[in-house]
Amino acid sequence: QSVLTQPPSVSGAPGQRVTISCTGSSSNIGAGYDVHWYQQLPGTAPKLLIYGNSNRPSGVPDRFSGSKSGTSASLAITGLQAEDEADYYCQSYDSSLSGSSVFGTGTKVTVL
Amino acid sequence: QVQLQESGPGLVKPSQTLSLTCTVSGGSISSGGYYWSWIRQHPGKGLEWIGYIYYSGSTYYNPSLKSRVTISVDTSKNQFSLKLSSVTAADTAVYYCARVEGASIAAALFDYWGQGTLVTVSS
């Protein structure tokens, strides 16, 4: 049912940069609605990582950054660390679904 | 610091109603300014938004679940609840409650989450 598509997995060596894409459509990201990102460490609840496309909550390292363009958004992790191994989800609003929040399909980041 | 805690049965029989409660501490639901939400995650799968409620009782539901979902609020207990009727094995999931931040539903994001509770649907 996810209307936001993410790659199932990305990987990188420690210190490298990885990016995760979140592709939507004209009724969500393309309509100008904000994109938010969450990190879910194994066995834990998701945690807000990026809000309003590119803003970091207090306490989130600046290694994490977000951007948005057109019908897509991206999360970048620079200087990849072992503790960044987790699942990442984008989230936005979809005007075609009666006030719905929608999540991306999720991406597993593996640190090699 | 806002904290949320889910509670309810971990096992529900098929065709019955799943009922969960989220207790909020460190903040008052009745003070307004926030919606409160339920989100679920099927085993090994992604996140699925279920619905939101405001302290006034205003609700929004996922269209795919709307016919079976009721979210209610009890401001006197600082709790909100989820009822999902006619459950099947496909409703087996970890259920999270969360606070919704944002100037409007269109800007909604989930800034505080409960730890989640696994609900299994099985006879």
Side-chain angles (χ1 to χ4, degrees):
Chain A
Q1 190 224 347
S2 295
V3 298
L4 303 179
T5 302
Q6 300 177 230
S9 63
V10 299
S11 61
Q16 285 190 329
R17 179 179 188 268
V18 297
T19 62
I20 301 169
S21 61
C22 173
T23 302
S25 67
S26 59
S27 62
N28 42 68
I29 299 174
Y33 298 114
D34 283 346
V35 178
H36 319 292
W37 291 89
Y38 301 85
Q39 177 192 58
Q40 186 175 32
L41 296 169
T44 70
K47 167 193 162 187
L48 181 64
L49 193 67
I50 296 286
Y51 68 94
N53 306 314
S54 59
N55 302 291
R56 286 185 306 277
S58 174
V60 173
D62 59 7
R63 303 184 289 104
F64 295 94
S65 62
S67 63
K68 188 183 90 165
S69 178
T71 58
S72 295
S74 292
L75 174 71
I77 311 173
T78 56
L80 194 63
Q81 298 184 7
E83 61 259 35
D84 299 333
E85 188 158 294
D87 294 322
Y88 293 82
Y89 295 91
C90 59
Q91 176 248 322
S92 187
Y93 172 86
D94 194 294
S95 60
S96 70
L97 297 173
S98 302
S100 290
S101 273
V102 288
F103 285 97
T105 49
T107 299
K108 169 70 175 179
V109 170
T110 300
V111 182
L112 301 173
Chain B
Q1 176 81 354
V2 174
Q3 293 185 317
L4 299 95
Q5 178 68 57
E6 305 90 351
S7 59
L11 180 64
V12 181
K13 289 181 166 46
S15 80
Q16 294 190 341
T17 295
L18 177 160
S19 296
L20 295 174
T21 296
C22 182
T23 301
V24 179
S25 58
S28 172
I29 289 177
S30 60
S31 64
Y34 302 98
Y35 275 80
W36 304 87
S37 187
W38 287 98
I39 295 155
R40 71 180 181 178
Q41 185 170 34
H42 295 103
K45 302 296 184 183
L47 300 167
E48 180 180 29
W49 171 72
I50 298 172
Y52 317 115
I53 190 164
Y54 198 56
Y55 80 96
S56 60
S58 173
T59 53
Y60 292 85
Y61 296 135
N62 186 323
S64 69
L65 297 170
K66 188 174 183 177
S67 63
R68 299 193 294 129
V69 171
T70 302
I71 298 177
S72 59
V73 64
D74 185 339
T75 55
S76 68
K77 294 181 179 179
N78 219 32
Q79 296 175 334
F80 61 104
S81 298
L82 168 69
K83 290 189 185 301
L84 181 65
S85 63
S86 305
V87 297
T88 70
D91 295 306
T92 293
V94 174
Y95 287 76
Y96 295 101
C97 58
R99 191 180 80 168
V100 183
E101 169 68 277
S104 68
I105 289 299
L109 60 94
F110 306 97
D111 60 350
Y112 289 95
W113 295 65
Q115 65 185 26
T117 187
L118 174 62
V119 178
T120 301
V121 178
S122 175
S123 55

